[in-house]
Amino acid sequence: MSAVTDKIKEICQELILSDEKITQVRDLMNQEINKGLGRETNPQAKIKCFPTYVRQLPNGKEMGKFLALDLGGTNFRVLLIELAGGIAHSNMVSKIFAVPNDIMVGPGEELFDHIAHCLSVFMHEHGVQNEKIPLGFTFSFPCRQEGLTKGVLVTWTKGFSCSNVEGKDVVKMLNEAIRRRGDVEIDVLAVLNDTTGTLMSCAYKNPECRIGLIIGTGTNACYVEKLDKVGTWDGDFNEPQQVVINLEWGAFGDDGCLDFIFTEYDRDVDKNSINVGKQVFEKMISGMYMGELAGLALRRLCREGLIFNGKGSERFNERGSFHTKYISEIEGEKNGEVANCQAILDELDITGYTDEDCRHVRYVCELVSRRAASLVCAGLACLLNRIKEKHAVVAVDGSVYRYHPAFHNLMTAGISKLIDPGLAFDLMLSEDGSGRELP
Ligand code: GLC
C-alpha cells in the first residue's frame, strides 16, 4: 500500500490488529466460553452459551413437508420445503417480506401479528392454508431455551427493540398471533437460532459440519459440544452425548475485556447505537456496523484535510451514509481500478476527488474488513481447537461473508495461523441458509 501517505497510515494504525492481539482475543474467547458453560460461572459470563436442545444433526435422509419462518435481520422469510430423502429430490419455495422499521421498534404483539400475516399470505399463495404443516421458527436473537419449542428472548439485538417480548417465550407469542388471525394452523416443531439453522442445513449435505457461523447484519456462532463439558445442561444424558450450543458471541467484550483493541470509531458506533455497551464484538464485525466504522474513519481523514481536499459533503457527514455494501463494492474491483469507488463518492455528493482519494478510501475499507475477518478467525480458531476434530466443516451464512469479495480467503488464511497443529477445516457456504439477506 505504498500509495497511502504516512500520515493516513499513522492515523489508521489502531485499526490494525497484531498477530499477538488476535491470539489474545482467541484465548479470551476460550476463557469466556468456559465461563458460559459452567453452571456457577454462567451468570457472570457475557458469552451466554445457550444449549439449543438440538442433539443430532440431519443426515440427508429426512423426508416430509415443512414450513420455516426466518426472522433475524431486515428481512423476514417464509419457506415451504419438501424433503424426499436426498438433496436432488428436495424442493423449496420461499418468499421474502420486509420488516418495516416501525415494526422493528414497535409493540411486540404487532411484530408477531406481522409475522402471522405474512405466513398466512404465503400459505394461501401455495394452496396449503388448510394443512397443518410442521414448522421450524428461526428466530435469530439471544434466547434461553427450555426445550426445542420454548425460547425466551433475553435481549433484543441488531436494531430491534419491540416492547413486551424480552422475558417472553417467542413460540407462545407466535402461536397466539396465529390464533388471533384464526385463518391458518401451525405446529411449531422447534425454535432455532440462525447459526443452528445454518449448521443443520449444511450438515444435511456434509456430515463433517460441526460449527455454524453467521456474518450478516449481526454475527454469532454455534457448535457441537460434548454434554460433559456443558455444566448448565439440564436434559438427559442419553446418546448422542452432545448438544449444539448457541454461543451468542456478539456479546463478547461487553464486560470490557476487549477494550484493549477498541478504537475511537468503535466507541462512537457504540455510543450512538440503541444498545449502548452491548454486543461489543458484533459491533466490530457485522454488516450493521462495518460501513459506519469505515465512514467514521473516512470522516476523520477528511476533517484533517487528508482526503477530498478536506471537503466532504453534507450527505457524507451524515451518520450511516457509508453503507456496508460499499465496502464490498470498493474491494470488489481490481487493484488500481476506481470506477465503483467513484460511483459511491458521487452518490455521497463528494466532488473534486482524485484517484489518490479513491486509493485511500479503499485502504480504510480494507482495514475495517480485515479487522472484522481477523476477529471472526480468532473466534473460529477457538472453536476448532475445542472440538479437536482432525477435519471439521464450518457452515457459514450472512451477507458479509456472502458478498464481501475477500472475506472467505481472509478467513481461510487467518484461521490456519491460529489453530492447533494437526487440525484442518473447510468453510462451507450455506446455499439455502438461514437468512438470505440482500447485500
Ligand atoms: C445477533 C443475534 C444472534 C444471531 C446473530 C446473527 O448476534 O443476537 O442470535 O445469531 O445476530 O444473525
Side-chain angles (χ1 to χ4, degrees):
M1 215 29 98
S2 55
V4 173
T5 64
D6 287 346
K7 184 74 188 141
I8 289 182
K9 280 192 187 160
E10 190 190 313
I11 290 178
C12 292
Q13 184 60 33
E14 57 173 346
L15 283 166
I16 300 173
L17 292 179
S18 63
D19 288 353
E20 199 189 338
K21 283 188 176 155
I22 298 170
T23 307
Q24 218 173 323
V25 173
R26 178 197 67 189
D27 297 344
L28 281 168
M29 164 90 68
N30 197 40
Q31 283 172 25
E32 194 58 27
I33 293 176
N34 285 334
K35 222 195 226 183
L37 291 174
R39 189 175 285 276
E40 266 89 60
T41 45
N42 176 277
Q44 295 95 52
K46 291 298 176 190
I47 300 187
K48 279 300 170 196
C49 300
F50 296 119
T52 62
Y53 293 84
V54 172
R55 302 279 295 275
Q56 208 142 17
L57 298 178
N59 58 19
K61 300 207 176 83
E62 290 73 14
M63 312 245 284
K65 199 183 211 181
F66 302 93
L67 276 166
L69 300 184
D70 182 355
L71 179 76
T74 39
N75 291 315
F76 167 64
R77 267 208 320 166
V78 189
L79 305 90
L80 179 63
I81 305 135
E82 263 179 89
L83 300 178
I87 303 156
H89 303 106
S90 303
N91 228 325
M92 179 173 92
V93 282
S94 69
K95 183 165 176 161
I96 296 182
F97 299 86
V99 185
N101 201 270
D102 54 322
I103 289 197
M104 283 170 69
V105 298
E109 267 196 13
E110 281 176 26
L111 171 70
F112 285 89
D113 283 338
H114 177 68
I115 295 176
H117 163 78
C118 299
L119 173 65
S120 163
V121 167
F122 181 85
M123 288 177 80
H124 281 89
E125 274 176 14
H126 293 280
V128 295
Q129 69 276 19
N130 297 321
E131 295 178 45
K132 193 170 178 185
I133 304 172
L135 178 145
F137 183 21
T138 305
F139 182 79
S140 307
F141 299 95
C143 284
R144 189 177 299 282
Q145 292 197 229
E146 289 173 25
L148 273 181
T149 55
K150 185 163 179 187
V152 174
L153 176 67
V154 175
T155 174
W156 283 115
T157 53
K158 296 180 286 194
F160 279 71
S161 66
C162 304
S163 54
N164 284 322
V165 190
E166 288 179 352
K168 302 247 171 75
D169 174 12
V170 295
V171 176
K172 189 157 169 258
M173 291 195 77
L174 175 65
N175 276 321
E176 285 168 358
I178 286 167
R179 221 170 301 131
R180 275 198 291 280
R181 296 186 60 82
D183 63 343
V184 288
E185 277 190 283
I186 56 158
D187 171 21
V188 179
L189 278 187
V191 56
L192 299 176
N193 187 258
D194 51 358
T195 53
T196 313
T198 299
L199 170 60
M200 291 178 76
S201 79
C202 286
Y204 189 74
K205 294 172 198 148
N206 187 325
E208 288 188 88
C209 283
R210 291 290 176 281
I211 297 175
L213 168 71
I214 301 284
I215 321 167
T217 307
T219 181
N220 186 16
C222 73
Y223 76 111
V224 182
E225 183 57 283
K226 295 191 187 69
L227 286 182
D228 61 11
K229 296 266 174 59
V230 187
T232 53
W233 179 243
D234 59 3
D236 66 60
F237 280 81
N238 300 339
E239 293 292 338
Q241 294 188 351
Q242 58 178 30
V243 64
V244 174
I245 298 290
N246 168 19
L247 290 167
E248 286 296 334
W249 79 10
F252 182 33
D254 288 10
D255 60 355
C257 75
L258 294 179
D259 287 5
F260 72 104
I261 56 170
F262 250 43
T263 64
E264 61 172 273
Y265 319 115
D266 297 304
R267 278 184 284 273
D268 192 308
V269 161
D270 182 50
K271 207 172 62 212
N272 288 287
S273 65
I274 66 167
N275 53 350
V276 178
K278 302 266 177 67
Q279 300 297 101
V280 160
F281 193 56
E282 179 159 272
K283 285 173 182 160
M284 290 194 275
I285 295 170
S286 75
M288 185 156 174
Y289 312 98
M290 198 196 275
E292 183 59 10
L293 288 171
L296 284 162
L298 289 170
R299 273 173 234 139
R300 162 141 190 224
L301 296 184
C302 182
R303 271 198 314 275
E304 302 210 5
L306 297 165
I307 54 173
F308 312 144
N309 224 350
K311 226 166 69 323
S313 74
E314 221 174 284
R315 175 96 191 92
F316 171 67
N317 286 331
E318 268 168 35
R319 184 162 287 285
S321 63
F322 201 87
H323 304 305
T324 298
K325 68 169 184 185
Y326 292 167
I327 297 183
S328 295
E329 287 166 7
I330 289 168
E331 289 189 48
E333 52 191 347
K334 283 205 205 85
N335 252 323
E337 286 178 13
V338 291
N340 289 356
C341 188
Q342 287 173 340
I344 289 162
L345 297 180
D346 289 344
E347 208 171 298
L348 291 169
D349 299 335
I350 293 171
T351 52
Y353 52 78
T354 60
D355 280 7
E356 192 187 26
D357 284 332
C358 289
R359 278 197 297 279
H360 289 151
V361 171
R362 183 182 180 124
Y363 177 68
V364 169
C365 290
E366 287 180 355
L367 291 185
V368 170
S369 61
R370 265 145 199 74
R371 188 184 69 148
S374 299
L375 292 170
V376 174
C377 289
L380 278 182
C382 160
L383 297 182
L384 290 163
N385 289 347
R386 290 183 77 90
I387 295 172
K388 290 191 178 39
E389 293 273 354
K390 274 208 171 59
H391 185 259
V393 173
V394 184
V396 197
D397 205 351
S399 48
V400 172
Y401 180 81
R402 202 177 267 282
Y403 300 114
H404 188 281
F407 233 76
H408 173 89
N409 290 347
L410 287 169
M411 280 175 55
T412 308
I415 297 167
S416 305
K417 290 204 283 184
L418 291 162
I419 50 174
D420 293 338
L423 302 185
F425 68 95
D426 270 312
L427 302 174
M428 171 178 178
L429 176 68
S430 152
E431 278 166 31
D432 38 23
S434 60
R436 237 339 130 82
E437 289 172 293
L438 304 173

